[in-house]
Amino acid sequence: MTYVPAPDALIGKRFDVAVAKMLGVSRSQAADLIESGEVGVMGRTMDKSARLLVGDMVDIELREEKDVPEPVCDTMEIVYEDDDVVVVNKPVGVAAHASVGWTGPTVLGSLLARGVHITSLGAPGRQGIVSRLDVGTSGLMLVCKSDLAYKEMRRQFAHHEVKKTYTAVVQGNLRQDKATIEAPIGRDKVSDFRFTVTPSGKPAVTHWDVIERFGDATLVSVNLETGRTHQIRVHFSSIGHPLVGDPMYGANPKLSRELGLDRQWLNATMLDFRHPRTHVWQHVECGYPADLRHALDVLRERKAAREAEAER
């Protein structure tokens, strides 16, 4: 039997939908696996319509080995490409690469399925990957096509020479217009798939600037000096302003529902790097996906309604 923490992007989803995405099978096949007892949640009775909760451990014991090919994300946009690198706009629900317990679509698998050449350098199943995004985070991700690019971009990321700009919506009204959060991050001792600010953690530095205020939430631009797992989510949660749509780190589920969010409002919006061959600075950016745009529209409408009411 295999135990897998419920993926961030699937928290709050119907169990049959979540199982379908995790195993790369149809929803009806997922329902059959749940009914037969081959897939369940440790410590809870689950039927196909039950919702996955934060902290759930999905137990998988397939009676026969399923030879299911990795699903491909056909909608993943290529924002920039040349002989050395390719930059994609990764949709939510797509992992950077294959990993234990994840059989949904991946950036690497989807590029290879399209016939994009990727360098053979890197760990098996992670070739060409020098930087990753969480499954539940959308936006720009760079993958290396040439050996030269892999070596140089790995160096640039390791030395923090690449500037990755994220956009996030956090709960509440941040008091300052800009600030830095500097606090070490490590695994949570209770739930080791979560991370937390802890003295025993690794150094982590997050810079943020306010873009727009909504009263009950704030849109910010974020730059990282370090690249710890869940860094933005953990740091904003640690100062009492978790990302909206992120129940794992303390988001208000009522606000998430009102904004129509199934995941944290976080997008990798801009990427600046020196081209590995020419060393000329490259700037790439992307817009927000539909779910994040919708949440912003709702926040703006709510703010406008409050201001109109105050003027009466």
Side-chain angles (χ1 to χ4, degrees):
M1 183 173 290
T2 302
Y3 295 97
V4 182
D8 295 354
L10 301 180
I11 299 298
K13 297 286 189 183
R14 280 176 56 108
F15 193 39
D16 54 353
V17 173
V19 170
K21 289 183 178 293
M22 291 176 69
L23 298 181
V25 298
S26 70
R27 188 165 166 181
S28 61
Q29 288 173 312
D32 290 341
L33 291 173
I34 295 166
E35 187 175 348
S36 68
E38 294 177 75
V39 182
V41 168
M42 186 170 63
R44 282 211 294 142
T45 301
M46 298 286 284
D47 60 32
K48 65 181 183 180
S49 63
R51 303 280 173 171
L52 270 184
L53 304 178
V54 173
D56 275 346
M57 296 292 290
V58 180
D59 54 77
I60 304 169
E61 188 176 21
L62 303 184
R63 296 196 181 115
E64 320 180 343
E65 201 146 315
K66 310 287 182 184
D67 186 17
V68 180
E70 178 184 307
V72 173
C73 181
D74 295 319
T75 59
M76 185 174 68
E77 176 190 8
I78 293 178
V79 183
Y80 175 89
E81 183 179 13
D82 59 29
D83 290 340
D84 293 299
V85 299
V86 56
V87 180
V88 302
N89 186 359
K90 186 189 83 65
V92 65
V94 177
H97 53 71
S99 60
V100 176
W102 180 259
T103 53
T106 67
V107 169
L108 183 57
S110 297
L111 286 174
L112 291 172
R114 293 187 193 184
V116 177
H117 172 78
I118 303 295
T119 177
S120 61
L121 297 183
R126 304 185 182 189
Q127 304 94 307
I129 304 292
V130 289
S131 178
R132 295 171 291 179
L133 290 177
D134 292 342
V135 171
T137 300
S138 54
L140 299 175
M141 180 178 150
L142 182 147
V143 181
C144 297
K145 297 174 64 176
S146 69
D147 294 358
L148 177 148
Y150 182 82
K151 294 172 183 176
E152 171 59 15
M153 294 312 302
R154 188 174 181 185
R155 185 198 67 78
Q156 288 189 35
F157 276 104
H159 287 83
H160 312 297
E161 295 175 8
V162 178
K163 183 179 180 182
K164 295 172 69 176
T165 303
Y166 294 82
T167 315
V169 175
V170 303
Q171 287 185 191
N173 190 20
L174 291 165
R175 289 193 301 273
Q176 298 165 282
D177 288 332
K178 62 188 303 180
T180 296
I181 306 170
E182 187 168 358
I185 292 175
R187 286 194 179 274
D188 191 302
K189 292 181 179 179
V190 177
S191 304
D192 66 0
F193 53 90
R194 295 177 73 255
F195 292 80
T196 188
V197 167
T198 171
S200 61
K202 295 180 180 179
V205 181
T206 301
H207 306 286
W208 56 263
D209 295 82
V210 170
I211 298 174
E212 188 173 357
R213 296 180 182 275
F214 307 106
D216 52 355
T218 310
L219 177 68
V220 293
S221 175
V222 184
N223 293 108
L224 305 180
E225 280 191 27
T226 51
R228 308 302 174 208
T229 302
H230 296 181
Q231 179 172 325
I232 295 173
R233 301 164 65 189
V234 171
H235 267 175
F236 277 102
S237 177
S238 74
I239 64 170
H241 295 277
L243 272 59
V244 297
D246 190 8
M248 178 176 286
Y249 290 105
N252 183 336
K254 181 176 182 291
L255 179 59
S256 301
R257 288 193 299 272
E258 291 170 351
L259 300 182
L261 285 173
D262 293 325
R263 49 101 168 204
Q264 66 266 16
W265 204 115
L266 180 63
N267 193 69
T269 309
M270 290 187 282
L271 188 65
D272 294 273
F273 62 97
R274 285 190 183 274
H275 191 277
R277 190 174 299 274
T278 67
H279 303 293
V280 174
W281 278 101
Q282 304 292 316
H283 174 80
V284 186
E285 58 183 271
C286 67
Y288 306 140
D291 61 334
L292 302 190
R293 291 199 309 270
H294 172 75
L296 284 181
D297 289 342
V298 174
L299 285 168
R300 288 169 181 146
E301 290 168 4
R302 288 156 57 111
K303 179 182 178 182
R306 289 195 301 268
E307 290 175 345
E309 182 66 27
E311 291 176 359
R312 291 177 184 172

